Amino acid sequence: MSLNSRFNTELAGVLEQLRAERVYKRLNYIDSPQSSHVQMEGRGDVLILSSNNYLGLSDEPSVIDAGHEALDKYGAGTGSVRFICGTFTIHRQLEQALARFVGTESSMSYVSCWNANEGLTATIVEEGDFVISDALNHASIIDSIRLAKAITKCTTAVYRHSDMDDLRAKLAANRGARRKLIWTDGVFSMEGDVARLPEILEIAREHDAVVAMDDSHASGVLGKTGRGTAEHHGVFGEVDIITSTLGKALGGAAGGFTAGSAALSDYLTQRSRPQLFSNALPPTVAGSSLAAVRFIETHPERVTRLHENARYFRSAITEAGFTPLAGDTPIVPIIVGETSLAMQISDMMLDEGIFVTGFGYPVVPHGHARIRCQVSAAHTRADLDVAVKSFQKVGRKVGLLK
Ligand SMILES: *Cc1c(COP(=O)(O)O)cnc(C)c1O
């Protein structure tokens, strides 16, 4: 028995309450690579409609081979942080490839995009600066800004989701700030909508602000060649700072990066605390991610297939009687209302052999719980048809459909 049993009893009490509210998250153990289907412990073959493996690269042979090769060449890990002795040549290759891919001069890798975001804001602002963030930005951006505020005493504000007038007004009200930073997601993960990037860039120009965009759900996903939100909007190369993850379309392992000017990367090397005090990206992951970027650069047809699958699923699920949130991304959320209903639908879909996650409070507001479908290039049309049929069956059972 551990020393403080009251502590553990208190935790157990909270867990009990989550179960009673039917918002308790169960972990599903998977015993195969991420692909269109997986082997799920206790359930066998399951169709996945909830993965960020947008391009199907997490089990792509060239991506796996590159991980093996890096393991053989560099060993298990860096054994250190970047500046002490944890920088391998494969980090430089990866960072150059990522910069080229997202249209910046340079990039820095981190062990996660969470770390990249957390290591950015507090590093580039100080007291007297102003940071403004979209209301639906990812938790890692929110925490990054909270940390920056606590450390530097910078001023912060949140603008209503994609409300350009609100963004403009709040920047105008903080005209006197020394440095102004606008933070946005490229694709908002719960809604599946795309940031109004051209307008954000325009407003940034008007107010002499810096734009930082987290493209985690857009890298490899949006734009004709998968280069993200900027390519999608025809403003490739214009964003000051792009952060993104290597844990979604770009191989799906883990890791993240911050891309921008050479000066920014060097500055992060000198000052960003997760760079200074936490180990570098493992070489296996760097190798796989590099191969994933190269794969996307040489296989634009894989990105095209993702776009076609997303369009197909959206129209099929709409025809089946559901009204998903509108959008141009492979994230197709179906709003169902209460959190417990979302969880129930998710459970019933799993009984049909389809893994699709329900999201409720506090991830999304009360009454806006949803089933978030994510389409992948790995899906066949037959997979998507099966998913739609099962949704119809479950939708009728719970009374969402007639
Ligand atoms: C998934 C995600 C992250 C976290 O990425 P990790 O590399 O897993 O830490 C950060 N930002 C956004 C917008 C995301 O969607």
Side-chain angles (χ1 to χ4, degrees):
M1 238 233 293
S2 68
L3 190 62
N4 192 330
S5 60
R6 182 166 59 87
F7 167 67
N8 291 310
T9 310
E10 285 164 3
L11 298 185
V14 175
L15 292 170
E16 207 44 61
Q17 196 178 335
L18 294 179
R19 281 196 194 87
E21 292 168 10
R22 298 212 63 198
V23 296
Y24 178 84
K25 291 171 200 61
R26 188 186 60 239
L27 299 180
N28 293 293
Y29 286 85
I30 291 170
D31 207 18
S32 68
Q34 285 282 342
S35 189
S36 60
H37 293 247
V38 297
Q39 296 301 313
M40 191 177 285
E41 206 174 77
R43 294 202 178 251
D45 188 79
V46 168
L47 172 64
I48 293 273
L49 204 63
S50 241
S51 175
N52 300 314
N53 181 28
Y54 290 113
L55 294 173
L57 294 185
S58 47
D59 70 335
E60 175 61 36
S62 67
V63 172
I64 296 172
D65 289 347
H68 283 296
E69 281 162 27
L71 181 64
D72 290 341
K73 179 163 180 188
Y74 300 100
T78 61
S80 188
V81 303
R82 288 294 287 271
F83 86 96
I84 299 179
C85 67
T87 305
F88 290 173
T89 50
I90 198 150
H91 289 118
R92 183 172 58 217
Q93 288 174 285
L94 173 65
E95 287 161 354
Q96 287 172 347
L98 290 168
R100 190 175 65 234
F101 186 66
V102 303
T104 62
E105 201 176 15
S106 181
S107 84
M108 280 301 286
S109 61
Y110 287 78
V111 290
S112 68
C113 184
W114 186 287
N115 262 253
N117 288 345
E118 195 174 271
L120 179 63
T121 317
T123 311
I124 57 169
V125 300
E126 55 189 47
E127 191 169 4
D129 293 349
F130 177 59
V131 183
I132 180 155
S133 174
D134 188 288
L136 292 189
N137 276 345
H138 189 262
S140 56
I141 299 175
I142 296 171
D143 281 17
S144 162
I145 295 171
R146 286 177 178 159
L147 186 65
K149 186 173 182 159
I151 293 176
T152 70
K153 302 188 176 66
C154 64
T155 307
T156 65
V158 173
Y159 62 99
R160 284 190 296 273
H161 177 50
S162 282
D163 184 334
M164 296 296 111
D165 293 336
D166 197 27
L167 171 59
R168 221 182 228 108
K170 284 174 174 150
L171 278 165
N174 288 274
R175 185 171 282 122
R178 187 192 69 108
R179 177 175 287 157
K180 300 162 200 95
L181 175 67
I182 304 172
W183 245 128
T184 185
D185 272 5
V187 168
F188 294 88
S189 58
M190 286 300 136
E191 315 293 305
D193 61 333
V194 185
R196 294 165 69 171
L197 185 59
E199 289 164 88
I200 292 173
L201 293 174
E202 184 56 40
I203 293 169
R205 271 182 216 110
E206 283 167 24
H207 290 273
D208 189 28
V210 176
V211 175
M213 175 172 74
D214 178 343
D215 235 11
S216 289
H217 279 283
S219 298
V221 174
L222 284 193
K224 204 167 160 24
T225 61
R227 288 160 193 272
T229 305
E231 186 188 21
H232 173 83
H233 278 303
V235 292
F236 190 71
E238 292 184 31
V239 183
D240 299 302
I241 305 172
I242 296 175
T243 68
S244 190
T245 184
L246 304 172
K248 292 185 170 113
L250 305 182
F257 64 94
T258 303
S261 65
L264 174 68
S265 292
D266 198 11
Y267 195 78
L268 294 172
T269 305
Q270 310 308 315
R271 294 274 174 83
S272 177
R273 289 166 73 83
Q275 281 290 333
L276 296 173
F277 299 108
S278 184
N279 262 23
L281 196 66
T284 41
V285 177
S288 287
S289 305
L290 177 59
V293 174
R294 288 182 175 153
F295 184 96
I296 299 169
E297 285 176 331
T298 50
H299 296 80
E301 73 282 1
R302 186 67 73 98
V303 178
T304 307
R305 186 152 95 216
L306 171 64
H307 294 173
E308 287 169 357
N309 277 355
R311 266 197 300 275
Y312 179 80
F313 181 76
R314 247 175 214 288
S315 73
I317 197 83
T318 305
E319 239 162 74
F322 291 94
T323 36
L325 295 182
D328 303 321
T329 71
I331 298 175
V332 185
I334 301 173
I335 308 292
V336 302
E338 289 313 310
T339 301
S340 57
L341 180 58
M343 299 305 161
Q344 186 191 358
I345 293 173
S346 172
D347 287 347
M348 290 167 77
M349 287 295 285
L350 195 50
D351 290 338
E352 297 290 320
I354 295 167
F355 182 34
V356 58
T357 308
F359 288 89
Y361 185 80
V363 181
V364 296
H366 278 300
H368 294 263
R370 61 202 62 192
I371 302 291
R372 184 178 72 172
C373 307
Q374 288 172 284
V375 178
S376 168
H379 290 127
T380 62
R381 286 291 156 91
D383 290 335
L384 298 175
D385 289 340
V386 166
V388 171
K389 279 227 158 55
S390 303
F391 263 118
Q392 252 178 331
K393 186 171 164 192
V394 169
R396 287 199 188 101
K397 273 192 197 161
V398 300
L400 268 183
L401 295 184
K402 286 197 291 282

